[in-house]
Amino acid sequence: MNTSVTSIKLVLLGEAAVGKSSIVLRFVSNDFAENKEPTIGAAFLTQRVTINEHTVKFEIWDTAGQERFASLAPMYYRNAQAALVVYDVTKPQSFIKARHWVKELHEQASKDIIIALVGNKIDMLQEGGERKVAREEGEKLAEEKGLLFFETSAKTGENVNDVFLGIGEKVPLKKEEEQNNANNERESNSKRVDLNAANNGSSTNNACSC
Amino acid sequence: MARQLFTPPITNPRFDPNQSIRESYKITASSMHFQQIPHEDQNDNEKNSCDENSTTSEKLENDKSPILTKQEIDDALSEVSNLPPELSKLIDIFIDDLKQPKYVRPLSVLQLSSLFQSFYIKFDKASFQHVSAVNNSGNNYSNGGSSSFLAAKETLSSGLSGIFGRSRSSSANSLMRPRRSSSLFSNESMSNSNNATQMLSPDEIKKQLRINELNNMKIEKYMELCERDVFKKILIVGTSVSSPNKMKTFKPHQLQTFKVGNLFRNSVEFTEYNRLLNEKILCLSKLSIMNKINLIEFLSLNNGIDPEPKFKEIKEILYEFTYHSISPCEKIKALLKLHEIMTYSQEMSNDDYLSLLIYYIITIVPRDIFLNAEFIRLFRYKKKLVETESFALTNLEAALVFVEGLTKSDFSNELQDKLTENEGKFLESSISSRVSLPSKATITHKSNGNSNSNIGDIMTPTIQRPDVTRSSSYDGFRTVFDSSLKNIIGKIRSYTPPHPNTVNGNNLHNNNSNNNLNIPRSSSQLSIELGNRDTMEMSRDGSRSTSSSSRSSASLEHGNREFTGDLTVTASINGADRKEFQKSWKKYKGYKFEDLTICELRDLFEIYQKMMQ
């Protein structure tokens, strides 16, 4: 009944108006529609997903897409375990920006960060919009850089949940993580200075230093 | 607390398995009553002041625990408006300890933060023990005439409650604190743990969970009260130390109003950064008032967003944040309120969040907002600074970073011509290029794993000190030479006879490289710090213009003298001499040993000799 919960900090990156917030709203409000006010901003939202009897709790950090704030992004993706890099399939420029984000994340974010590349707004293709970023392009980039790849529509909800499920499945489970933590702990303990020993040592030093 | 756990205490010879089974399977409808009794007892003791309970964090908590009704939570938490005496005492001890004149040099804010974080962890544990103890004693009371079997169970239950209580509900925390998450309820232990848990019916487990939930909330409340009380107490007692060796230098009138700046007084980089940022925000604000810049346009707030309707509300909150709140948890609450107001607006898309925040900061000009943000970062209990709190704080920090980075070139040429000389100066360069703050990475306190070992070593936290490389290379030699030189300089500049006990402290620090966290317990410690600062300056030399470097180093120097207040000059050196003297030893600051000529080495040696006199 009470499965362990793994928390994942997930950060949304992508050019302005590619639909970052909409994706989150679609993902989160699917399950929580009755609890959320319709006007809520999606700046920070959490959502729990159960994957194979394991609960993953996404803590979703939205970022401002404006170019001028791009340099502030590291403050947001610091310690993030996952990132969604979103672009708009009808805007080639947004795909170029997505490439930059992927590069930056690989260089500056946590080493094991799970990145999902998401081409959004595929609903527009059915409504007569012209596709400007081929699916293959996205797939290729994802393959090169080891990313998850999805094409979604936040409007219709298509594929949105799959993005998060995909990330959830790749996340190291709590059990492993705990072990890692335990290891770290042991390491840090062994690195810890033995206070008593230090005291003894320095007291002899002290005796002759003055 | 673990009243429902009628499990066999195998090691106890007096254990009666029959009774255990009877107990385990009887209808336990009355169990909750047992739990309520201690709460009510406490109620009487503690209902002397009331405190608002509806905080954002608690609201979040409510969402997370569907097994509790709002009513129950309110009931449980309304009782907790003050800390119980035994917990209050911990705060007193901590403050008293802080005020002990045990440090030769004033503590930097990072060191202080580290002490506080250790204290929070200790307090967290103590609260947990307190809550468990209260529950247990309540149970005893209600079962007044119970058999020895119950007493035996009591021992067991406190053991188990230890495990139960540690499965905190907020999962983010359990990630951070592995020990607490190793609960009986975690996946693996549910299925294959010993028979103890198998004897619980789902109902009982549910009840146990409810109790844990309530206890956890209580502990959280205690933590909040702890932060509030610690800083209130600091406000009352002041922060000066009753000895010649001052921990901080406070003037009496400052005790009336708590300024976060006080805590940062010994960390010149922070205060300097803050001052520059204050000036910059003020300058931008003036420019905006004089219509030299159009903020709304500049921040691209022009797509239908009108910041005005909420202006007053936001202003109040920002004032609350900077001026009228004391503890980090009060401040973060104000920030969360701000966050809420801003995100719950219909017209705002998330892309405008930062722009809007920057707009408010520039138009409202909350003083020392940077120090307030850093104050939360450093003095809020790290375990609690997660999720929305962390997000809201990050947004504020990001907004401030954006502002500090603004320069003339970000504005139109038209504006650049219109700027007065003074304004131009403020917008000359980014603040971060002038003052580099001590790395935040180094202040991450190790609250994760070794929390147990932190109990009791509150005055010897895991303060880290720079790693002095010892090698046979030039570099190594230079380091040794440098530090011995600086050791002497340090002695001249602020010689205070080391307290026999404090010298021991020198070796107490963890061996982590490259940071500024060193508790200045004796004069020899100074050498490390000086060396450290020097490294910082050298690195700046490498990356930035010499002028800015020397300026900031001068200001650091100045600040250092200003803020420590206990620097003494040896009688043999008078003021003018000293100045020249300082100039002479400083002139080799950026030099590398291998670049020195023999003449320069001789010069250095002469300086050295002078110092020795």
Side-chain angles (χ1 to χ4, degrees):
Chain A
M1 51 160 281
N2 194 356
T3 55
S4 62
V5 179
T6 308
S7 288
I8 298 177
K9 176 176 168 185
L10 181 147
V11 64
L12 284 166
L13 295 167
E15 215 180 46
V18 293
K20 295 185 295 294
S21 309
S22 313
I23 289 176
V24 182
L25 276 179
R26 166 62 66 185
F27 169 60
V28 172
S29 58
N30 260 354
D31 281 356
F32 280 95
E34 68 276 11
N35 293 338
K36 297 283 181 238
E37 307 206 19
T39 55
I40 187 173
F44 177 86
L45 290 174
T46 60
Q47 173 71 303
R48 282 165 193 252
V49 179
T50 305
I51 302 164
N52 306 330
E53 295 173 9
H54 192 91
T55 306
V56 172
K57 182 180 165 206
F58 287 103
E59 293 169 11
I60 304 166
W61 291 46
D62 204 350
T63 60
Q66 293 162 8
E67 186 58 38
R68 68 170 74 211
F69 297 134
S71 64
L72 305 174
M75 302 179 79
Y76 290 86
Y77 62 67
R78 185 169 51 202
N79 300 327
Q81 287 101 329
L84 286 197
V85 178
V86 186
Y87 65 92
D88 178 345
V89 291
T90 66
K91 290 201 181 113
Q93 179 58 36
S94 70
F95 186 68
I96 295 172
K97 186 68 204 166
R99 256 183 213 282
H100 287 156
W101 281 125
V102 171
K103 188 161 174 275
E104 182 176 328
L105 283 172
H106 276 302
E107 284 166 1
Q108 294 193 41
S110 348
K111 207 166 71 260
D112 314 319
I113 192 166
I114 300 162
I115 305 173
L117 182 67
V118 178
N120 193 29
K121 304 200 185 176
I122 50 171
D123 54 282
M124 285 175 75
L125 305 178
Q126 271 116 49
E127 291 164 13
E130 195 188 335
R131 182 191 267 276
K132 295 275 177 61
V133 184
R135 189 184 165 87
E136 291 73 32
E137 270 189 89
E139 277 172 345
K140 193 170 152 240
L141 177 63
E143 202 176 316
E144 276 171 16
K145 305 283 181 181
L147 323 172
L148 296 167
F149 176 69
F150 300 91
E151 285 197 334
T152 62
S153 162
K155 194 173 176 186
T156 65
E158 190 179 343
N159 259 346
V160 169
N161 284 354
D162 301 290
V163 175
F164 292 89
L165 289 176
I167 290 176
E169 277 164 10
K170 274 192 86 175
V171 164
L173 294 182
K174 179 80 158 291
K175 219 162 126 189
E176 298 165 28
E177 212 157 309
E178 264 175 14
Q179 278 167 358
N180 287 342
N181 280 341
N183 288 339
N184 291 341
E185 194 181 322
R186 234 168 282 135
E187 265 172 41
S188 62
N189 272 342
S190 66
K191 272 184 204 156
R192 277 169 73 83
V193 179
D194 183 338
L195 299 178
N196 295 326
N199 264 332
N200 294 339
S202 61
S203 61
T204 49
N205 289 344
N206 191 24
C208 52
S209 68
C210 296
Chain B
M1 157 165 185
R3 170 60 40 200
Q4 287 75 30
L5 293 173
F6 301 113
T7 50
I10 296 150
T11 52
N12 193 319
R14 289 177 299 180
F15 171 64
D16 174 6
N18 291 331
Q19 190 173 2
S20 166
I21 292 165
R22 263 202 317 279
E23 293 278 350
S24 292
Y25 290 98
K26 80 175 180 188
I27 298 158
T28 50
S30 57
S31 301
M32 269 318 283
H33 295 299
F34 296 154
Q35 300 308 321
Q36 291 307 327
I37 287 164
H39 296 175
E40 277 155 22
D41 288 346
Q42 234 181 315
N43 209 359
D44 295 334
N45 300 333
E46 294 179 358
K47 229 179 195 165
N48 24 24
S49 80
C50 58
D51 194 47
E52 54 152 15
N53 283 311
S54 61
T55 65
T56 319
S57 60
E58 277 155 16
K59 264 188 263 161
L60 282 173
E61 203 59 47
N62 296 353
D63 292 342
K64 277 185 267 175
S65 49
I67 45 173
L68 285 170
T69 64
K70 178 121 184 48
Q71 181 62 36
E72 282 172 313
I73 293 165
D74 285 349
D75 283 355
L77 291 181
S78 61
E79 298 155 6
V80 187
S81 57
N82 262 325
L83 287 175
E86 58 262 51
L87 292 180
S88 242
K89 212 172 137 200
L90 285 178
I91 294 180
D92 294 346
I93 293 170
F94 175 60
I95 301 283
D96 285 348
D97 205 84
L98 275 184
K99 285 174 74 69
Q100 292 306 308
K102 55 169 104 182
Y103 304 107
V104 172
R105 294 256 304 196
L107 291 174
S108 81
V109 74
L110 300 188
Q111 292 159 345
L112 264 182
S113 157
S114 185
L115 294 178
F116 271 78
Q117 294 297 340
S118 317
F119 171 68
Y120 290 149
I121 292 167
K122 191 183 171 194
F123 190 91
D124 194 3
K125 278 170 191 294
S127 312
F128 167 71
Q129 276 156 6
H130 173 78
V131 170
S132 320
V134 165
N135 278 330
N136 284 337
S137 62
N139 289 338
N140 270 344
Y141 173 74
S142 57
N143 285 308
S146 59
S147 62
S148 59
F149 154 71
L150 278 175
K153 224 170 42 179
E154 206 58 59
T155 343
L156 175 72
S157 75
S158 54
L160 280 175
S161 68
I163 302 162
F164 277 128
R166 274 151 200 261
S167 73
R168 289 289 178 91
S169 58
S170 37
S171 50
N173 303 336
S174 64
L175 251 184
M176 291 165 62
R177 311 190 57 159
R179 275 184 198 189
R180 296 218 161 175
S181 63
S182 64
S183 88
L184 287 180
F185 290 126
S186 66
N187 246 351
E188 60 285 359
S189 47
M190 266 312 275
S191 49
N192 60 9
S193 65
N194 58 33
N195 51 1
T197 44
Q198 283 166 9
M199 293 190 64
L200 295 171
S201 72
D203 249 16
E204 286 166 333
I205 291 172
K206 205 168 170 187
K207 263 178 201 133
Q208 191 56 54
L209 281 174
R210 289 161 62 98
I211 293 155
N212 289 338
E213 204 63 36
L214 278 175
N215 283 341
N216 288 337
M217 281 176 201
K218 272 194 181 174
I219 294 171
E220 256 160 51
K221 186 76 193 168
Y222 283 149
M223 284 312 300
E224 255 175 49
L225 292 172
C226 164
E227 279 187 24
R228 187 194 68 181
D229 288 1
V230 163
F231 286 95
K232 267 194 183 156
K233 178 125 205 233
I234 288 180
L235 177 62
I236 293 165
V237 300
T239 23
S240 54
V241 175
S242 53
S243 94
N245 303 331
K246 283 180 248 171
M247 187 177 92
K248 299 185 203 77
T249 49
F250 284 121
K251 296 172 192 117
H253 69 87
Q254 285 175 315
L255 302 181
Q256 301 308 313
T257 52
F258 179 76
K259 287 191 209 140
V260 283
N262 292 350
L263 291 169
F264 289 87
R265 293 203 82 171
N266 305 318
S267 303
V268 194
E269 299 89 347
F270 283 96
T271 43
E272 180 69 3
Y273 189 101
N274 182 60
R275 189 181 61 77
L276 292 172
L277 191 60
N278 278 346
E279 283 173 359
K280 198 168 216 171
I281 293 174
L282 194 66
C283 168
L284 288 167
S285 177
K286 278 182 186 157
L287 287 176
S288 162
I289 290 169
M290 292 188 293
N291 279 326
K292 282 190 185 175
I293 49 172
N294 184 345
L295 269 185
I296 293 196
E297 206 172 277
F298 175 67
L299 295 167
S300 320
L301 277 173
N302 41 7
N303 29 355
I305 298 167
D306 185 8
E308 286 308 317
K310 287 181 178 161
F311 188 82
K312 206 168 156 240
E313 203 179 354
I314 302 268
K315 188 173 177 175
E316 264 168 32
I317 295 172
L318 274 178
Y319 278 4
E320 168 78 24
F321 175 69
T322 47
Y323 306 127
H324 307 309
S325 50
I326 298 173
S327 74
C329 82
E330 285 165 350
K331 284 182 189 291
I332 193 80
K333 270 179 204 164
L335 209 53
L336 285 174
K337 218 157 123 196
L338 182 82
H339 172 77
E340 219 169 275
I341 292 174
M342 285 179 56
T343 48
Y344 272 78
S345 83
Q346 195 141 18
E347 65 273 21
M348 198 203 73
S349 98
N350 196 43
D351 283 336
D352 298 318
Y353 186 110
L354 262 184
S355 304
L356 205 55
L357 188 58
I358 293 164
Y359 174 85
Y360 286 130
I361 289 173
I362 292 179
T363 44
I364 294 170
V365 203
R367 200 188 55 216
D368 295 342
I369 189 164
F370 169 75
L371 285 188
N372 277 286
E374 289 307 296
F375 174 65
I376 296 178
R377 186 62 83 194
L378 293 169
F379 291 97
R380 174 84 172 122
Y381 184 23
K382 289 238 181 312
K383 199 181 133 221
K384 295 288 158 212
L385 193 57
V386 290
E387 302 200 357
T388 325
E389 287 193 15
S390 172
F391 183 71
L393 183 60
T394 304
N395 273 313
L396 177 62
E397 286 175 333
L400 294 178
V401 167
F402 180 80
V403 174
E404 70 89 358
L406 280 179
T407 59
K408 279 193 278 193
S409 55
D410 291 309
F411 298 95
S412 63
N413 290 334
E414 198 187 333
L415 172 80
Q416 291 183 27
D417 300 336
K418 277 194 274 180
L419 290 177
T420 64
E421 194 186 329
N422 217 11
E423 289 163 352
K425 214 174 75 195
F426 288 132
L427 295 174
E428 187 74 57
S429 58
S430 69
I431 295 169
S432 54
S433 69
R434 285 187 263 175
V435 182
S436 60
L437 294 170
S439 159
K440 272 180 207 154
T442 60
I443 57 177
T444 327
H445 198 267
K446 290 179 185 161
S447 60
N448 307 4
N450 52 17
S451 37
N452 261 353
S453 41
N454 266 328
I455 262 197
D457 64 359
I458 212 157
M459 285 322 294
T460 52
T462 51
I463 300 284
Q464 303 143 344
R465 70 175 171 87
D467 201 15
V468 179
T469 338
R470 309 229 177 255
S471 73
S472 53
S473 73
Y474 271 135
D475 269 1
F477 177 59
R478 182 164 50 91
T479 320
V480 175
F481 181 74
D482 264 11
S483 56
S484 68
L485 196 66
K486 278 170 184 145
N487 195 355
I488 298 154
I489 296 167
K491 275 184 178 160
I492 290 172
R493 293 181 65 233
S494 71
Y495 180 73
T496 328
H499 189 274
N501 291 330
T502 58
V503 175
N504 294 348
N506 272 344
N507 296 335
L508 293 182
H509 315 304
N510 258 10
N511 230 353
N512 258 326
S513 59
N514 282 338
N515 57 62
N516 296 335
L517 282 179
N518 36 11
I519 286 204
R521 298 205 179 213
S522 77
S523 52
S524 65
Q525 193 70 24
L526 276 173
S527 64
I528 297 170
E529 195 183 310
L530 274 170
N532 211 15
R533 185 146 26 99
D534 216 45
T535 335
M536 195 176 81
E537 278 161 12
M538 279 201 282
S539 73
R540 211 180 308 148
D541 277 343
S543 60
R544 294 180 196 106
S545 73
T546 335
S547 71
S548 81
S549 145
S550 59
R551 179 164 39 160
S552 63
S553 77
S555 74
L556 282 180
E557 203 57 50
H558 170 73
N560 196 22
R561 231 170 293 135
E562 183 183 334
F563 286 108
T564 51
D566 59 358
L567 296 181
T568 50
V569 186
T570 341
S572 65
I573 305 175
N574 67 34
D577 271 1
R578 185 172 178 259
K579 223 177 207 170
E580 198 188 319
F581 187 55
Q582 268 196 355
K583 216 166 117 196
S584 70
W585 62 255
K586 267 191 184 166
K587 73 182 176 194
Y588 291 107
K589 187 166 261 174
Y591 280 48
K592 284 197 168 155
F593 181 80
E594 50 269 48
D595 296 334
L596 293 174
T597 63
I598 295 292
C599 289
E600 285 164 340
L601 274 174
R602 188 188 296 142
D603 197 0
L604 265 174
F605 183 72
E606 276 166 16
I607 295 168
Y608 168 76
Q609 295 244 308
K610 262 188 221 162
M611 283 173 189
M612 291 306 287
Q613 283 161 14

